[in-house]
Amino acid sequence: MAMIMEMETHKFQTAKKYIESVYDTVKERNANEPEFLQAVQEIFHSLLPVLVKNPKYMENGILERIVEPERMISFRVPWVDDKGKVRVNRGFRVQFNGTLGPYKGGLRFHPSVNASIIKFLGFEQTFKNALTGQAIGGGKGGADFDPKGKSEGEVMRFTQSFMTELSKYIGSGIDVPAGDIGVGAREIGYLFGQYRKVAGHYDAGVLTGKGIGYGGSLGRTEATGYGLVYFVDEMLKDKGMSFEDKTVIVSGSGNVSIYAIEKAQEYGAKVVACSDSNGYIYDEKGICLDTLKHLKEVERSRISEYVNEHPHAKYIEGSDGIWTIPCDIALPCATQNELNEKAAKTLVANGVKAVGEGANMPTTHNAAEVFLQNDVLYAPGKASNAGGVAVSALEMAQNSSRIAWPLEKVDAELKKIMVNIYRSSVEAAESYDLSGNFVAGANIAGFTKVADAMIVQGVI
Ligand code: GLU
């Protein structure tokens, strides 16, 4: 008995030391990349029991390999603004892990974009894409370009210049970008046009999120937001709850937020708040989606204008305040680290029952701990926001078969995928005695899928 205990302790210590030593190297090599380090730490945090039980991951150097992008491309994006001035932005594409399929992941145009942000997103994407069960590897890209205040012409010229360089590294069987913050239908259109021009051929599956008229999939626009609500609904159902009559807050007001609000409302919830980077709207009667869609999708304006149409609603400066609104369900759909420990404590004090992440890593590590310690149902983004990329993979399938699917088929597939992700996260957590911890469950399920395939494919 004592001998078995000793062996177990030894296995535990070996795995622990291995994780720590790989993390130390990651820290040393990427000292100036806090978001990337946060994402690595968040995954590593869940892996100790997995490595204790499966030393093969250590023996095959999986952690050392999985934290190092297969390729990181950084490039100059020169363009000329409306005044004739030459401007230069920095573009990136990280091809993080191609074990399960062509690199897949969005492009983000936002002034905060840098190597750390792109690497954290690419790392997360690798596990998220694995969770979907589809044949897609992990990638991500973008530029530190701020679309805010730019004219149509400036956005087009910038986007074309970005693609002129990116086109050298992508293709339907190589790497398939899509949208993310600051990259929507308009930008995808320009990106596709420029790719077609410089590549000299029509590769329909080189980008996803395309318009319906030229190879896009029905349901892709709605997919991330709808998928989030399908996931959270599944999680609620397991506890005998639903969206019906619940008070919900959704941060952000982009594509993910809009369609999360739409589906939550359809499921009978009252969504009372949403935000942008300047402030938030509180509408106790429930957010009017028509107004929100018009402001964001047609006028591309700020949500502060919502109150012009709905004078009973309140606009409050500063987006952080949104978490002080009492709610049953919180759906952070804006950006990384938008929900900190203090906000998490406020949500818990106000009786929040479930938190579902629509954005990538919107909750800080300490905030996530607050939810876990207080038995709040907490769905991590890499599981709950996988609906967008999942439907992107369905778009790729439609492009390669040259057959477009009806919306009902896409939506039914999306729902099935989200339920599967939920189930496999639950099962992975249970198999390591971590029931109810969806963070650990999603991390473990995503990691083992990628790691097992990496072992089979050899040291490459
Ligand atoms: N940017 C989205 C994500 O974070 C979608 C990526 C895609 O469709 O490739 O998953």
Side-chain angles (χ1 to χ4, degrees), residues 355-434:
V355 176
E357 297 184 340
N360 293 314
M361 206 169 73
T363 306
T364 63
H365 178 75
N366 290 346
E369 288 296 314
V370 171
F371 294 139
L372 293 172
Q373 280 157 17
N374 287 280
D375 292 326
V376 173
L377 296 172
Y378 168 54
K382 68 172 75 64
S384 54
N385 76 28
V389 75
V391 173
S392 276
L394 301 179
E395 182 174 332
M396 289 162 72
Q398 294 171 71
N399 294 147
S400 45
S401 66
R402 296 176 188 264
I403 293 169
W405 300 357
L407 180 60
E408 297 68 37
K409 177 166 169 163
V410 177
D411 194 48
E413 282 296 318
L414 168 64
K415 206 179 259 180
K416 209 158 68 187
I417 292 168
M418 297 314 296
V419 172
N420 276 343
I421 296 175
Y422 175 73
R423 293 276 152 234
S424 49
S425 304
V426 167
E427 278 160 26
E430 274 169 4
S431 63
Y432 287 95
D433 292 327
L434 293 162

Side-chain angles (χ1 to χ4, degrees), residues 14 24 62 66 83 119 197 221 223 225 231 318 333 345 349-350 359-360 370 394 410 420 449:
T14 314
D24 284 346
I62 292 296
I66 219 162
K83 295 196 179 95
K119 279 168 66 184
K197 179 170 170 137
T221 311
F231 189 100
C333 296
K345 285 184 175 156
N350 286 337
N360 293 314
V370 171
L394 301 179
V410 177
N420 276 343
K449 186 109 202 276

Side-chain angles (χ1 to χ4, degrees), residues 104-106 125 128 140 176 178-180 208 220 360 385 388-389 392:
K104 182 84 196 85
Q125 197 83 40
K128 181 198 308 194
K140 202 84 186 193
V176 183
D180 197 80
T208 60
R220 173 61 187 88
N360 293 314
N385 76 28
V389 75
S392 276

Side-chain angles (χ1 to χ4, degrees), residues 231-246 328-329 353-354 375 377 422-423 438:
F231 189 100
V232 173
D233 189 47
E234 208 55 30
M235 190 166 80
L236 292 170
K237 269 200 268 184
D238 257 359
K239 296 278 174 219
M241 294 188 275
S242 74
F243 271 97
E244 187 81 42
D245 296 328
K246 296 289 186 303
D328 301 305
I329 300 166
K353 295 175 185 67
D375 292 326
L377 296 172
Y422 175 73
R423 293 276 152 234
F438 304 112

